[in-house]
Each structure stands twice: as C-alpha cells, then as structure tokens.
Amino acid sequence: MATDKHFVDYVIEQAGLGSRLGCKKLFGEFALYLDGKVVAFACDNSLFIKPSRAVDTLAPQLPKGPPYPGAKDYPIADELLDDPEALRRLILETAALMPPPKAKKPPKGKARKPASEE
C-alpha cells in the first residue's frame, strides 16, 4: 500500500521543523530529509526512523519492523506523532548522527569547461 501524502504532511507538521524537514517520493513511499540528510521513511502510512544511537537513547521502547519487504527492521515512531516535542528531538538527534549528503556528480555527457575558460 502506498503512503498517503496527507500522512507525510501531518508528520512534517507535527515535527515542527518548518522548511528544514522535507520529503521525496520513492516508489509510492517517501523519504524524509532534515537539512539534506535522510532521517526517516514514511511507508504504509507509518513513520520509520533511521536506526541510530538517538533511538536507543531517546525512544528505546519503539516497536521495530521492516518499512518494505526485504528491508532490515527500523524503529516505528507512529506513537511519537502524538508527542511533537519527542518527535522533533528524535529527528534532530538522528540527523546529527547521520553522515552529510554525498556531493552530486555532474550529469554524464556534458563536458565541463576548465575553470580557466569560464
């Protein structure tokens, strides 16, 4: 079952992080990004937080399950949607532990001009 965009909008609203928290659609589901870092997935209208020490410290009671068939188990943070402060803190702490996004490669087929020619 694909995730409803209204669910993702609700998660973003509850987190209260404004434009810092965004999403991208992936195969009918969504990845949530904070400042360019993937911090969670919305799959089957549930919120799956990236596993990290932040979850172990702030929300060790969260149930776990795979966000999609064949995936490893992720903490399911649906219960935190009723506690915006806890959700916001977990997302912020998770993002702090994630590596920075990789630099995008230039599109193939286009030759780049050397800096001296620009």
Side-chain angles (χ1 to χ4, degrees), residues 1-4 7 28-30 41-48 66-69 78:
M1 175 175 100
T3 297
D4 183 3
F7 173 77
E29 307 298 355
F30 292 84
F41 297 99
C43 301
D44 291 332
N45 287 333
S46 284
L47 180 63
F48 294 84
Y68 50 87
D78 292 346

Side-chain angles (χ1 to χ4, degrees), residues 2-86:
T3 297
D4 183 3
K5 178 69 164 85
H6 296 290
F7 173 77
V8 176
D9 293 340
Y10 178 72
V11 169
I12 291 171
E13 180 183 321
Q14 287 299 95
L17 293 164
S19 63
R20 293 179 63 195
L21 185 62
C23 67
K24 289 184 184 175
K25 193 166 188 172
L26 302 170
F27 306 108
E29 307 298 355
F30 292 84
L32 279 79
Y33 293 80
L34 182 68
D35 300 330
K37 297 178 180 181
V38 176
V39 293
F41 297 99
C43 301
D44 291 332
N45 287 333
S46 284
L47 180 63
F48 294 84
I49 300 289
K50 294 269 294 207
S52 70
R53 287 190 328 267
V55 173
D56 297 339
T57 303
L58 300 173
Q61 79 288 355
L62 292 179
K64 294 184 180 184
Y68 50 87
K72 65 181 180 177
D73 285 348
Y74 278 63
I76 304 168
D78 292 346
E79 66 189 58
L80 296 183
L81 295 174
D82 294 330
D83 187 350
E85 183 61 36

Side-chain angles (χ1 to χ4, degrees), residues 88-102:
R88 182 173 30 260
R89 186 168 179 213
L90 181 58
I91 289 173
L92 287 168
E93 293 292 326
T94 299
L97 296 170
M98 295 296 119
K102 294 180 181 177

